[in-house]
Amino acid sequence: MPVTGRLLGSGRTADVYEIDEAWVLRRDRDGWGDAAAEGAVMAHVREYGYPAPAVRPSSDGSRTDLVMERLAGPTMLQAFVAGTLDAEEAGAVLARLLRALHTVPGRVSADARILHLDLHPDNVILTPDGPRVIDWANTEEGDPGLDWGMSAVILAQVAVSAQPIAAPALAMLTALLADPADLTDQGLTEALRRRAANPTMSTEETELLAPAGELIRSLAGWG
């Protein structure tokens, strides 16, 4: 395993280390990731003009290490907390990013779409050149309804919680679903199932899934 530089940040499953002013190393802690596959998807969507970071191969071909472009700017969540981005705008940006992503054809099947499956405010960095989408570890090819469902469920879990940002999360979710969206009942059902099976979620987060689903169906006008 190569020597790393200064630790820049940590998520649920990975750490990000400094390489130099232009590049960082994202390392999965538990060894379950496939850095080469993730990097290939990021390179693919960039070919279609989608705002993902540039990537380059790891020097040792590691499955857990991904070398990618170093981005300057706060995450969308950090910008909201700092008061420089309002909740409605955040939700609208997420909707635009989902719609843009789903114009990209699959790498395996041109009839399928590229799905991010973890597109939420902490996975969007607001750079001087515009928003950039990070953390492509969960990506698949399939129907856009699932991607919309995953983003909606992530926001809805916060919206129905006791967290201080519950009300803003509801505003983000409402804005996300305000424009004509490709959310489907099938996609929402599958998103809820996948979130329930996610081993990184706490018991408290899992218990919020049922009311989160009810909230989304209400906002979608499904009764």
Side-chain angles (χ1 to χ4, degrees), residues 26-109:
R26 205 282 316 281
R27 173 169 291 161
D28 293 323
R29 286 192 298 273
D30 299 326
W32 59 268
D34 188 339
E38 185 176 352
V41 172
M42 293 168 71
H44 175 71
V45 299
R46 278 177 58 84
E47 289 178 0
Y48 286 83
Y50 194 76
V55 294
R56 72 183 193 195
S58 170
S59 59
D60 65 350
S62 169
R63 285 181 57 88
T64 60
D65 289 0
L66 178 65
V67 179
M68 63 183 185
E69 176 186 5
R70 185 170 184 173
L71 303 176
T75 66
M76 184 182 288
L77 180 60
Q78 289 170 336
F80 166 74
V81 171
T84 58
L85 180 72
D86 65 40
E88 291 79 6
E89 183 180 0
V93 170
L94 288 175
R96 289 197 297 270
L97 289 170
L98 282 169
R99 282 194 296 272
L101 178 59
H102 299 150
T103 67
V104 180
R107 297 171 63 232
V108 176
S109 170

Side-chain angles (χ1 to χ4, degrees), residues 12 116-123 138 147-160 163 169 173 176 188 191-192 195 198 201 209 212 216:
R12 291 196 184 204
H116 186 277
L117 299 179
D118 199 22
L119 187 52
H120 58 75
D122 218 21
N123 278 340
N138 295 335
D147 221 1
W148 282 88
M150 292 297 287
S151 292
V153 169
I154 292 168
L155 290 177
Q157 281 178 280
V158 180
V160 298
Q163 294 186 43
L173 176 62
L176 175 73
L188 175 57
L192 289 165
R195 289 289 286 177
N198 187 333
M201 288 211 311
L209 286 172
I216 294 167

Side-chain angles (χ1 to χ4, degrees), residues 124-201:
V124 178
I125 295 181
L126 302 177
T127 77
D129 297 323
R132 306 285 283 277
V133 178
I134 62 170
D135 197 352
W136 294 78
N138 295 335
T139 185
E140 294 179 11
E141 297 183 15
D143 186 273
L146 175 58
D147 221 1
W148 282 88
M150 292 297 287
S151 292
V153 169
I154 292 168
L155 290 177
Q157 281 178 280
V158 180
V160 298
S161 74
Q163 294 186 43
I165 61 171
L170 175 58
M172 288 184 201
L173 176 62
T174 302
L176 175 73
L177 300 178
D179 247 334
D182 287 326
L183 178 67
T184 62
D185 186 66
Q186 180 180 0
L188 175 57
T189 299
E190 176 62 10
L192 289 165
R193 186 196 68 78
R194 292 190 183 204
R195 289 289 286 177
N198 187 333
T200 70
M201 288 211 311

